[in-house]
Amino acid sequence: MLVAEAGDLSPGQALDVGCGEGADALWLARRGWRVTAVDVSEVALRRAAAAAADASGRVAWARDDLTTTPPPVRAFDLVSIHYFPLRREPGHSALYGLLDAVTPGGTLLFATHSLSDLAAHRSVDSDPADYYQPDDIAQLLGLEPERVTFHD
Ligand SMILES: C[S@@+](CC[C@H](N)C(=O)[O-])C[C@H]1O[C@@H](n2cnc3c(N)ncnc32)[C@H](O)[C@@H]1O
């Protein structure tokens, strides 16, 4: 999805939310983006940085809990959120923190597994429906349905 949606964007500043081991951040950096890649996992960030020798200087790896530490406001031309487990909450403060990081005219890319694919993973402790889906975000932003793209 990153390739399909970001491949034609002009490089600028990107935020990779929950970057994991950094594949998306590196893909962006190799295309000229300057990337801030944030994850709560030190292990993931260490592995990401180890794989990033050719992109050094273009990716800033940062350890933060994005549910409690929002990124800078209006700082990123692209905010890329792929498979980031963000639990719904009243007031949506963590989600708004991520949405507010996009510059005016910038791009928000939000990808999740579909709820039907996740139905088998429901447990006593965790229900996939407790996490934000693209529809929630479109609704919060007041987007028309045609502004929302669904990929298989
Ligand atoms: C399913 S992985 C997705 C990794 C990557 N974005 C991808 O698409 O392959 C979710 C990542 O989000 C990170 N994460 C979960 N909660 C977080 C939080 N509150 N703040 C920052 N990172 C978090 C996890 O450590 C994990 O690396």
Side-chain angles (χ1 to χ4, degrees):
M1 180 168 159
L2 183 67
V3 175
E5 295 294 336
D8 291 336
L9 296 177
S10 299
Q13 297 283 341
L15 174 67
D16 187 0
V17 171
C19 63
E21 296 189 16
D24 287 356
L26 288 177
W27 185 87
L28 288 164
R30 287 170 183 149
R31 276 153 188 80
W33 290 82
R34 300 191 74 80
V35 185
T36 300
V38 181
D39 204 283
V40 75
S41 163
E42 190 145 0
V43 173
L45 289 171
R46 208 168 32 238
R47 289 185 182 155
D54 65 312
S56 66
R58 292 200 303 278
V59 185
W61 305 102
R63 181 165 184 247
D64 267 319
D65 180 343
L66 286 163
T67 62
T68 53
T69 306
V73 172
R74 297 183 170 206
F76 299 98
D77 306 294
L78 170 66
V79 172
S80 174
I81 309 175
H82 280 76
Y83 310 110
F84 181 68
L86 191 55
R87 197 179 267 274
R88 287 198 176 98
E89 45 151 2
H92 317 292
S93 61
L95 178 60
Y96 277 130
L98 299 178
L99 304 183
D100 287 346
V102 185
T103 55
T107 299
L108 170 74
L109 198 49
F110 182 90
T112 59
H113 298 288
S114 76
L115 281 180
S116 54
D117 290 347
L118 290 173
H121 299 276
R122 187 174 301 133
S123 71
V124 178
D125 304 325
S126 171
D127 182 343
D130 291 340
Y131 294 80
Y132 289 108
Q133 291 290 309
D135 281 347
D136 300 315
I137 294 174
Q139 202 173 358
L140 282 174
L141 293 175
L143 291 178
E144 298 300 321
E146 62 267 25
R147 297 281 308 279
V148 182
T149 308
F150 292 93
H151 291 262
D152 289 331

